[in-house]
Amino acid sequence: MPRAAIARPHAFAPDIEAFISTFADDIADGSAAIFAGAGLSVSVGYVDWRGLMREIAHELGLSVDRETNLVAVAQYHLNERRNRTRINQKIIDEFSSGHTLNENHEVLARLPIATYWTTNYDRMIETALEAEGKVVDVKFSVSHLKTVRRGRAATVYKMHGDVSDPDNAVLTKDDYEGYFREREPFVTALTGDLVSKTILFLGFSFTDPNIDYVMSRVRVVLRNQPKQHYCILRREQRRAREKTSDFEYRRRQQDYFVKDLARIGIHALMVDDYAEITRILRAVEARYRTRTIFISGSAHDFHPWLADAAGSFIEALSRSLIAKGFNVVTGFGLGVGPSVISGALQEIQANPKRNSPNQLQAFPFPATDMSAAARRTLYQRHRQRVIGMAGTAIFLFGNKRNKRGTIVPADGMIEEFSIAKAAGLHIIPVGATGWIAGEIATEVAPLLSGRSASFRKALSIANNPASDIAAIVKAVLTMANDFRNS
């Protein structure tokens, strides 16, 4: 489905802007990971730790709002009842299916992040990833760590267990005290990721004794120079009718807490509202997608270009995009797709140490004998999926031959332009190639008038039929870089 536009309504704080850029780079490099706490799922109806233990505490004659050690409350219940049936049933009741995904889950699932850690029992992360068509390798017991699911796109480490196995969920003091004996491989795996990956903690309170121990151990091993990780925290807000002294005390507590997080290598990104988390994740996705360019084009007839000149231009453009570090995505459009692939492969194979085969992704339209209506629906979904991988779309030529043999505007390219606009992609029309690309240039040029002088000059060159091939390629690269860096 179309997503929100890339443009951000207002600027972030400088440290958040820096994080967005850095984390997008880490995602592209395959070195990013997510650690999800209960807060990530609370907005879709799941309880947090305090909510889970509320009834359990009440049965003991305790008030969960007055308790600070909820692990101890779970242990008290186990001590009194001599079994954990009631607690297990509570886990099943609270964390079984029935909740819808929130936008944070959806954004994370769209991004090519391969590693997720969580202390949650629910299946929201797995569900979001599977909804994106990804193969997920879920690990919530030591035995799961011994095997690998072939073709996996993401691994989800549920270090405290899963709702499907409440008997072995980590919940009580007994569970925590025995964690490093019973689940030591999880500690080892997490330690490795804390050293090698950049982890973003979301919805996590940092009160978990396991995480505190692992982070402290990593800091010591790295000689007090831990790798940089991030979390997003909401600044303390003054409550209704709260005394100024009480509010100042809570704010002072948070300041000390944030500084202590920095001690173990976690930089806290401070926001005033939890909705900012969604906005930050959107910005990370937008930043990541600016690395990827979708080339839309269709040409049965290249007129007024000569066919050989058109092919050389498309190859040079694709080759140059790869050389500048962009990823290229193509739907293998008529007359255009083969040259896109040829140019990209030339650059990838010529400089294998600098470029990666993953920089080129081709998604030809599936051949099918289904009805025209069903085919249109299938092709629309295909276009949405492919275009949704990119942050910028380049439009070239745009014609086809109809059933009567007449050269007409390519309606598929018109649809791709519509999808790209709805998804918030940056648009680069090469009007010099004519047809639909020329029409798009006429429509979007006024919308781009506020960009830099160098961008406007490049747009003019790309839309001028008198421009030569080298000048048009350089102009397109100028605009693509401007979008990537803005």
Side-chain angles (χ1 to χ4, degrees):
M1 295 298 293
R3 299 196 288 271
I6 287 178
R8 298 195 295 274
H10 58 276
F12 293 106
D15 65 329
I16 295 179
E17 287 281 5
F19 159 76
I20 290 168
S21 178
T22 298
F23 201 63
D25 289 342
D26 289 329
I27 292 172
D29 294 338
S31 59
I34 298 294
F35 199 116
L40 191 64
S41 297
V42 167
S43 67
V44 297
Y46 286 114
V47 297
D48 58 11
W49 183 246
R50 193 169 296 278
L52 177 66
M53 297 305 300
R54 188 169 300 279
E55 291 183 9
I56 300 299
H58 182 71
E59 291 179 18
L60 298 173
L62 301 174
S63 170
V64 74
D65 296 318
R66 298 175 64 180
E67 297 295 328
T68 57
N69 188 343
L70 299 179
V71 173
V73 172
Q75 186 65 45
Y76 299 158
H77 189 277
L78 177 60
N79 295 343
E80 292 296 314
R81 300 295 186 268
R82 297 299 178 183
N83 67 71
R84 52 184 289 166
T85 302
R86 178 75 178 90
I87 295 178
N88 292 347
Q89 187 61 51
K90 188 66 176 173
I91 291 174
I92 294 172
D93 292 343
E94 295 291 353
F95 295 104
S96 293
S97 60
H99 299 279
T100 57
L101 299 171
N102 63 26
E103 188 176 353
N104 294 338
H105 291 119
E106 293 169 344
V107 173
L108 291 172
R110 286 195 297 262
L111 289 166
I113 297 173
T115 303
Y116 293 81
W117 284 89
T118 183
T119 52
N120 299 347
Y121 310 124
D122 63 66
R123 299 198 74 257
M124 298 304 288
I125 295 174
E126 303 96 294
T127 301
L129 290 165
E130 289 165 356
E132 285 295 314
K134 296 182 178 181
V135 176
V136 187
D137 191 359
V138 182
K139 302 182 183 299
F140 58 82
S141 72
V142 172
S143 62
H144 294 155
L145 298 176
K146 302 174 185 177
T147 58
V148 172
R149 185 174 181 183
R150 303 295 183 191
R152 69 192 183 282
T155 302
V156 180
Y157 296 94
K158 308 185 77 168
M159 60 185 299
H160 284 178
D162 183 81
V163 62
S164 65
D165 186 22
D167 284 334
N168 292 305
V170 176
L171 190 66
T172 67
K173 289 178 69 175
D174 285 344
D175 298 328
Y176 276 93
E177 289 168 0
Y179 194 94
F180 294 92
R181 179 184 68 253
E182 303 295 334
R183 297 178 179 241
E184 184 178 4
F186 276 96
V187 176
T188 302
L190 177 57
T191 300
D193 282 348
L194 285 165
V195 172
S196 63
K197 300 181 185 296
T198 301
I199 299 180
L200 172 61
F201 291 83
L202 291 170
F204 195 73
S205 65
F206 295 98
T207 57
D208 190 294
N210 286 339
I211 306 303
D212 186 57
Y213 173 80
V214 173
M215 294 294 295
S216 298
R217 190 171 73 171
V218 169
R219 183 182 66 84
V220 172
V221 169
L222 295 180
R223 300 179 184 274
N224 295 324
Q225 295 181 347
K227 183 175 175 61
Q228 182 71 76
H229 303 290
Y230 299 89
C231 70
I232 303 178
L233 297 178
R234 189 182 73 159
R235 292 184 183 89
E236 289 293 344
Q237 306 294 310
R238 188 166 185 174
R239 299 164 183 164
R241 297 184 296 277
E242 182 180 23
K243 293 180 180 179
T244 300
S245 59
D246 291 340
F247 169 60
E248 291 294 340
Y249 185 84
R250 288 192 301 106
R251 192 164 61 177
R252 189 159 54 250
Q253 280 182 314
Q254 186 179 61
D255 288 342
Y256 289 131
F257 174 66
V258 167
K259 290 176 182 177
D260 198 53
L261 287 177
R263 178 181 64 89
I264 58 176
I266 300 176
H267 178 74
L269 305 170
M270 306 303 296
V271 298
D272 291 318
D273 189 278
Y274 287 124
E276 287 292 282
I277 295 176
T278 303
R279 202 166 73 90
I280 291 170
L281 293 180
R282 285 180 193 157
V284 169
E285 181 185 25
R287 181 74 178 186
Y288 171 78
R289 286 197 290 133
T290 58
R291 294 170 163 270
T292 300
I293 293 179
F294 171 69
I295 298 181
S296 172
S298 173
H300 187 92
D301 186 344
F302 292 100
H303 183 78
W305 290 56
L306 296 175
D308 286 347
S312 296
F313 159 64
I314 297 168
E315 285 188 8
L317 175 61
S318 182
R319 186 170 62 246
S320 298
L321 289 169
I322 295 293
K324 292 298 183 181
F326 288 101
N327 303 320
V328 171
V329 176
T330 175
F332 210 79
L334 173 70
V336 173
S339 296
V340 170
I341 292 173
S342 176
L345 288 178
Q346 287 176 39
E347 177 60 29
I348 290 169
Q349 293 171 0
N351 298 284
K353 291 184 179 180
R354 184 179 65 192
N355 304 314
S356 165
N358 293 331
Q359 286 179 260
L360 171 64
Q361 298 186 70
F363 298 91
F365 285 82
T368 174
D369 359 345
M370 60 178 61
S371 69
R375 186 182 301 110
R376 281 195 298 272
T377 300
L378 175 65
Y379 281 12
Q380 183 182 45
R381 286 202 206 108
H382 183 76
R383 286 188 169 102
Q384 286 176 338
R385 175 174 174 267
V386 175
I387 294 171
M389 301 172 66
T392 299
I394 296 174
F395 292 89
L396 310 173
F397 301 99
N399 65 68
K400 68 176 185 178
R401 186 185 295 277
N402 66 15
K403 293 180 179 180
R404 294 191 298 271
T406 305
I407 305 300
V408 297
D411 51 355
M413 193 161 152
I414 296 173
E415 184 178 351
E416 288 172 0
F417 174 54
S418 177
I419 292 171
K421 284 196 301 180
L425 270 67
H426 298 299
I427 306 296
I428 299 179
V430 184
T433 61
W435 294 93
I436 295 300
E439 294 179 13
I440 293 173
T442 300
E443 179 178 337
V444 304
L447 305 177
L448 299 172
S449 61
R451 301 197 72 87
S452 67
S454 61
F455 183 98
R456 296 195 303 273
K457 180 180 179 181
L459 180 64
S460 176
I461 293 171
N463 292 328
N464 184 355
S467 300
D468 62 36
I469 289 176
I472 295 175
V473 170
K474 182 178 179 181
V476 173
L477 288 176
T478 296
M479 290 185 281
N481 273 317
D482 190 277
F483 283 136
R484 177 166 61 177
N485 297 327
S486 63

